[in-house]
Amino acid sequence: MSRSSPWCFERSRRRFLQTVLAAAGAAQLLANCQQSGAPKPDDAIAPANDAFDWRCCEGQTLHLLLNRHPWTAGLQPYLANFEAQTGIQTNLTIVPEPDYFQVMETALQDETIAIDVFFLPMDSTAYRLWQGSLLQPLTPLLNDVRLTEPSYNLFDFPEGFRLAAMYPPEAESQQLFGIPITFESYILFYNQQLVNQYLDGRVPQTMPDLISAAQTINQRGQGEVFGAVMRGVRSDTIIDTVTGLVLNSWGSPATPLPYNVWFDRDWQRPRFTDPKIVAGLTAYAQLMQAGPPNIQAIDWPEATQLFQNGQAAFYIDASLFGPGYEQPDSAIAGNVGYTRLPRVQSASLTGHWLWGLGIAQQSSQPEAAWLFVQWATSPQMEPLISVNTGGAPRFSSWINASPYTAAMNIEYALCVQKAMQTSRPTAVLHPRWNEIALAIADTIQAIYQGTDGSAAAAQLQARVEQLIAQEA
């Protein structure tokens, strides 16, 4: 065999996988549009529009308030392009994430602070900002032929992503208040070497099989290798990953906002004792039990590092961690497997969390602000910026040949694209959701420590009923 043969094989393999990726993504994009009642991709692209002009707001200056985030780092090299294309100047303020939320909310409520476009967490925070009349509706701007480039195509974003910032959440007529810029869905990472060593190369296909396999590896690993690692801390910040597992356990029945899976379409009907929810919470706790002894002190940075060091066989968490595992300094580069959550019922489901861009209600130049949001989230710019995040929220970024797909591991891209197709929002739009999320974390801790899942869920049900009653 010639020295070049392995390279030729890999090149052919990548081309084949890229073809599969593109075909699968295009087919699913069409299916999603048909299922949601949205226009098909060809219909969503309007004919040539002479009324649109990128320079219609020339001479204005936008004030951007952004989180210090990989997306922001990906944006900065292209800002000069936006300014040249539109004649709009940008004034950029970047705030470290630990301080961002407080700074952002203060700025939105203080009319003396100049703010036009900002990093919007597309969850209960966005809902609360909308309730406070702090967000500019984007629908009128999006529908204005003078302000929106004909090929923008909102329906290139999955329906579940768009619904995350459409309010009022239960109304027949809704408006859009945020455009996604990066997302995380919850997938299974696995160490292929450990799967080969302990499981004869067989990746579990169901959640019970995953739990059993993780427990087996944990027993045989003798404290040096762990079956699984999860976010084990007592914190409301684990709730999105938890919701991903619970949605997977829940199956096909709808989980509409604002209630999501946890309430039966009414705040007075929490359903934490539903067997499918109990199964999801129990699965999370059992995967913790297959982890290191200090799992209750482990949050995502520690869990990610443990997996990246090659010390854990399985890890369920945010998809955007994937590209980091392939970096040269990763001990498991080239040895990571990516797959959707092992199914509980007939299909794999998951959840997602989103950062987006919003326009402040107090902005004195919403049209110029919309031009920036539109440009930064366009089919042309989004894949370029998203190389830094691994979380491009447009379907087209995953199926078209671009710097984005070139930068991604093919198996990772296939996995995330499939996860996007069945992913649902993890948000719950209730003012006391953070307290409820912490109560859910306490329930997982109790199951981890040996409490029966149904008994722990009954205690959770009573606690949530009390919190809801206090709110009423």
Side-chain angles (χ1 to χ4, degrees):
M1 182 179 289
S2 71
R3 183 174 297 179
S4 63
S5 294
W7 179 85
C8 292
F9 172 79
E10 178 62 19
R11 182 177 63 178
S12 298
R13 172 179 167 276
R14 285 184 65 86
R15 285 177 176 171
F16 170 74
L17 287 171
Q18 286 171 337
T19 301
V20 171
L21 183 65
Q28 188 60 42
L29 176 58
L30 178 60
N32 283 356
C33 291
Q34 291 172 331
Q35 290 169 6
S36 67
K40 300 179 182 65
D42 289 343
D43 297 333
I45 300 175
N49 171 23
D50 294 335
F52 176 77
D53 181 5
W54 278 110
R55 303 190 73 85
C56 64
C57 296
E58 186 171 2
Q60 298 184 28
T61 297
L62 288 175
H63 297 271
L64 312 179
L65 178 62
L66 305 181
N67 181 17
R68 183 174 293 163
H69 185 278
W71 187 90
T72 303
L75 165 75
Q76 288 178 276
Y78 299 104
L79 266 180
N81 296 8
F82 170 75
E83 294 178 345
Q85 183 174 345
T86 62
I88 298 170
Q89 298 301 303
T90 57
N91 186 319
L92 182 61
T93 300
I94 301 174
V95 180
E97 184 158 316
D99 303 318
Y100 176 77
F101 291 86
Q102 183 60 51
V103 171
M104 175 263 292
E105 296 205 33
T106 298
L108 290 173
Q109 297 178 57
D110 187 341
E111 294 184 359
T112 67
I113 299 176
I115 176 174
D116 296 298
V117 178
F118 67 101
F119 244 57
L120 176 69
M122 294 176 66
D123 57 10
S124 57
T125 301
Y127 180 65
R128 182 163 43 79
L129 297 177
W130 169 75
Q131 286 184 311
S133 300
L134 299 174
L135 300 180
Q136 187 87 222
L138 304 184
T139 302
L141 300 165
L142 178 70
N143 291 339
D144 191 330
V145 295
R146 300 176 303 106
L147 298 174
T148 301
E149 208 277 331
S151 63
Y152 182 71
N153 191 9
L154 182 66
F155 303 103
D156 192 15
F157 297 98
E159 182 181 28
F161 290 10
R162 289 181 273 122
L163 289 174
M166 294 187 72
Y167 309 129
E170 296 180 278
E172 289 186 11
S173 178
Q174 298 176 314
Q175 294 205 73
L176 185 68
F177 288 84
I179 300 288
I181 55 173
T182 186
F183 79 98
E184 58 183 54
S185 60
Y186 305 99
I187 65 173
L188 174 65
F189 304 100
Y190 59 92
N191 184 313
Q192 186 65 64
Q193 181 179 345
L194 296 180
V195 168
N196 291 342
Q197 179 180 348
Y198 291 99
L199 302 176
D200 295 326
R202 294 190 294 272
V203 179
Q205 299 299 303
T206 68
M207 188 60 70
D209 287 347
L210 173 64
I211 294 167
S212 176
Q215 292 171 343
T216 296
I217 294 174
N218 210 49
Q219 293 167 1
R220 295 176 58 191
Q222 299 181 336
E224 295 183 3
V225 171
F226 304 107
V229 64
M230 303 288 289
R231 304 190 197 200
V233 294
R234 177 188 179 269
S235 172
D236 61 348
T237 61
I238 73 169
I239 192 62
D240 297 294
T241 312
V242 172
T243 305
L245 267 73
V246 170
L247 287 169
N248 189 38
S249 178
W250 184 257
S252 59
T255 55
L257 298 182
Y259 311 104
N260 212 307
V261 68
W262 307 100
F263 295 83
D264 187 11
R265 299 174 187 263
D266 189 317
W267 297 124
Q268 305 306 316
R269 294 203 297 266
R271 52 187 179 193
F272 293 89
T273 55
D274 187 288
K276 291 180 288 188
I277 291 179
V278 175
L281 298 177
T282 302
Y284 195 103
Q286 289 174 327
L287 288 170
M288 285 175 58
Q289 291 168 347
N294 67 334
I295 190 71
Q296 290 173 290
I298 289 179
D299 203 348
W300 70 263
E302 296 82 15
T304 300
Q305 191 61 55
L306 197 71
F307 183 76
Q308 189 163 318
N309 290 344
Q311 295 175 264
F314 300 108
Y315 180 27
I316 291 176
D317 214 291
S319 56
L320 56 79
F321 294 148
Y325 297 143
E326 304 297 343
Q327 297 302 309
D329 61 349
S330 171
I332 54 175
N335 195 38
V336 183
Y338 308 92
T339 188
R340 290 179 292 173
L341 298 185
R343 67 183 186 278
V344 174
Q345 300 186 47
S346 59
S348 170
L349 298 174
T350 190
H352 61 254
W353 190 90
L354 299 153
W355 275 113
L357 291 179
I359 299 177
Q361 179 62 51
Q362 69 187 50
S363 172
S364 61
Q365 43 201 2
E367 294 186 353
W370 167 244
L371 288 180
F372 174 81
V373 172
Q374 177 187 176
W375 170 83
T377 61
S378 67
Q380 297 77 30
M381 289 308 305
E382 190 232 41
L384 298 176
I385 298 171
S386 294
V387 166
N388 270 43
T389 71
R394 282 185 175 271
F395 272 122
S396 59
S397 294
W398 296 88
I399 65 177
N400 294 334
S402 71
Y404 184 75
T405 51
M408 298 297 114
N409 173 284
I410 294 296
E411 284 81 5
Y412 168 79
L414 280 167
C415 169
V416 176
Q417 185 196 102
K418 290 177 181 177
M420 289 170 71
Q421 297 166 14
T422 60
S423 181
R424 298 179 183 180
T426 56
V428 176
L429 308 182
H430 189 278
R432 304 197 71 164
W433 175 239
N434 286 354
E435 295 173 73
I436 297 171
L438 186 59
I440 294 170
D442 285 337
T443 301
I444 291 172
Q445 296 286 325
I447 298 172
Y448 168 78
Q449 292 167 348
T451 301
D452 174 74
S454 296
Q459 294 176 358
L460 173 61
Q461 178 83 3
R463 185 172 171 183
V464 172
E465 287 174 351
Q466 184 179 31
L467 287 171
I468 295 294
Q470 291 172 358
E471 183 64 24

